[in-house]
mmCIF file of all heavy atoms in Angstrom:
data_model
loop_
_atom_site.group_PDB
_atom_site.id
_atom_site.type_symbol
_atom_site.label_atom_id
_atom_site.label_comp_id
_atom_site.label_asym_id
_atom_site.label_seq_id
_atom_site.Cartn_x
_atom_site.Cartn_y
_atom_site.Cartn_z
ATOM 1 N N MET I 1 -2.576 -44.960 -78.856
ATOM 2 C CA MET I 1 -2.019 -44.107 -77.909
ATOM 3 C C MET I 1 -2.629 -42.670 -77.834
ATOM 4 O O MET I 1 -2.936 -42.158 -76.766
ATOM 5 C CB MET I 1 -0.505 -43.940 -78.103
ATOM 6 C CG MET I 1 0.332 -44.687 -76.939
ATOM 7 S SD MET I 1 2.005 -44.522 -77.238
ATOM 8 C CE MET I 1 2.546 -43.903 -75.849
ATOM 9 N N TYR I 5 -4.889 -40.629 -74.387
ATOM 10 C CA TYR I 5 -4.654 -39.166 -74.014
ATOM 11 C C TYR I 5 -6.048 -38.431 -74.086
ATOM 12 O O TYR I 5 -6.284 -37.639 -73.166
ATOM 13 C CB TYR I 5 -3.672 -38.486 -74.919
ATOM 14 C CG TYR I 5 -2.242 -38.989 -74.597
ATOM 15 C CD1 TYR I 5 -1.410 -39.579 -75.628
ATOM 16 C CD2 TYR I 5 -1.704 -38.908 -73.316
ATOM 17 C CE1 TYR I 5 -0.202 -40.043 -75.345
ATOM 18 C CE2 TYR I 5 -0.342 -39.390 -73.040
ATOM 19 C CZ TYR I 5 0.402 -39.905 -74.037
ATOM 20 O OH TYR I 5 1.655 -40.430 -73.827
ATOM 21 N N ILE I 22 -15.090 -21.319 -60.209
ATOM 22 C CA ILE I 22 -15.046 -21.121 -58.698
ATOM 23 C C ILE I 22 -13.929 -20.048 -58.560
ATOM 24 O O ILE I 22 -14.061 -19.092 -57.785
ATOM 25 C CB ILE I 22 -14.727 -22.325 -57.878
ATOM 26 C CG1 ILE I 22 -16.003 -23.181 -57.928
ATOM 27 C CG2 ILE I 22 -14.364 -22.034 -56.485
ATOM 28 C CD1 ILE I 22 -15.896 -24.639 -57.394
ATOM 29 N N THR I 23 -12.791 -20.284 -59.200
ATOM 30 C CA THR I 23 -11.583 -19.357 -58.831
ATOM 31 C C THR I 23 -11.992 -17.911 -59.480
ATOM 32 O O THR I 23 -11.762 -16.899 -58.755
ATOM 33 C CB THR I 23 -10.421 -19.866 -59.725
ATOM 34 O OG1 THR I 23 -10.111 -21.159 -59.254
ATOM 35 C CG2 THR I 23 -9.264 -18.952 -59.497
ATOM 36 N N LYS I 29 -15.450 -11.670 -56.337
ATOM 37 C CA LYS I 29 -15.852 -11.269 -55.021
ATOM 38 C C LYS I 29 -14.892 -10.425 -54.147
ATOM 39 O O LYS I 29 -15.220 -9.479 -53.563
ATOM 40 C CB LYS I 29 -16.334 -12.525 -54.255
ATOM 41 C CG LYS I 29 -17.087 -12.259 -52.968
ATOM 42 C CD LYS I 29 -17.607 -13.518 -52.286
ATOM 43 C CE LYS I 29 -18.340 -13.181 -51.031
ATOM 44 N NZ LYS I 29 -18.993 -14.307 -50.393
ATOM 45 N N GLU I 43 -14.894 7.549 -47.818
ATOM 46 C CA GLU I 43 -15.956 8.286 -46.992
ATOM 47 C C GLU I 43 -15.267 8.602 -45.589
ATOM 48 O O GLU I 43 -15.601 9.845 -45.184
ATOM 49 C CB GLU I 43 -17.051 7.246 -46.733
ATOM 50 C CG GLU I 43 -18.351 8.015 -46.072
ATOM 51 C CD GLU I 43 -19.455 6.999 -46.008
ATOM 52 O OE1 GLU I 43 -19.637 6.084 -46.806
ATOM 53 O OE2 GLU I 43 -20.218 7.105 -45.041
ATOM 54 N N LYS I 51 -14.308 17.448 -40.696
ATOM 55 C CA LYS I 51 -13.997 17.738 -39.283
ATOM 56 C C LYS I 51 -12.904 18.672 -39.271
ATOM 57 O O LYS I 51 -12.968 19.695 -38.465
ATOM 58 C CB LYS I 51 -13.634 16.355 -38.699
ATOM 59 C CG LYS I 51 -13.154 16.550 -37.260
ATOM 60 C CD LYS I 51 -12.851 15.202 -36.646
ATOM 61 C CE LYS I 51 -12.182 15.253 -35.296
ATOM 62 N NZ LYS I 51 -11.782 13.969 -34.845
ATOM 63 N N ASN I 53 -12.075 21.008 -41.472
ATOM 64 C CA ASN I 53 -12.612 22.248 -41.889
ATOM 65 C C ASN I 53 -13.304 22.920 -40.734
ATOM 66 O O ASN I 53 -13.317 24.240 -40.699
ATOM 67 C CB ASN I 53 -13.487 22.094 -43.132
ATOM 68 C CG ASN I 53 -12.608 21.818 -44.434
ATOM 69 O OD1 ASN I 53 -11.472 22.103 -44.469
ATOM 70 N ND2 ASN I 53 -13.301 21.156 -45.421
ATOM 71 N N ASN I 63 -9.477 33.670 -33.941
ATOM 72 C CA ASN I 63 -8.529 34.684 -34.385
ATOM 73 C C ASN I 63 -9.107 36.047 -34.524
ATOM 74 O O ASN I 63 -8.461 36.997 -34.160
ATOM 75 C CB ASN I 63 -7.893 34.104 -35.691
ATOM 76 C CG ASN I 63 -6.412 33.799 -35.540
ATOM 77 O OD1 ASN I 63 -5.938 33.852 -34.493
ATOM 78 N ND2 ASN I 63 -5.782 33.394 -36.801
ATOM 79 N N ASP I 67 -7.993 39.330 -32.729
ATOM 80 C CA ASP I 67 -7.520 40.420 -33.529
ATOM 81 C C ASP I 67 -8.467 41.767 -33.053
ATOM 82 O O ASP I 67 -7.836 42.847 -32.985
ATOM 83 C CB ASP I 67 -7.787 40.219 -34.993
ATOM 84 C CG ASP I 67 -6.651 39.289 -35.581
ATOM 85 O OD1 ASP I 67 -5.652 39.096 -34.881
ATOM 86 O OD2 ASP I 67 -6.899 38.753 -36.679
ATOM 87 N N ASN I 74 -5.377 49.213 -29.093
ATOM 88 C CA ASN I 74 -4.396 50.078 -29.837
ATOM 89 C C ASN I 74 -5.044 51.317 -30.192
ATOM 90 O O ASN I 74 -5.691 52.177 -30.260
ATOM 91 C CB ASN I 74 -3.788 49.556 -31.015
ATOM 92 C CG ASN I 74 -2.787 48.355 -30.622
ATOM 93 O OD1 ASN I 74 -2.270 48.270 -29.579
ATOM 94 N ND2 ASN I 74 -2.590 47.478 -31.595
#
Side-chain angles (χ1 to χ4, degrees):
M1 251 176 122
Y5 289 120
I22 291 169
T23 303
K29 188 173 183 178
E43 190 174 331
K51 179 181 171 184
N53 286 339
N63 246 2
D67 284 346
N74 290 333

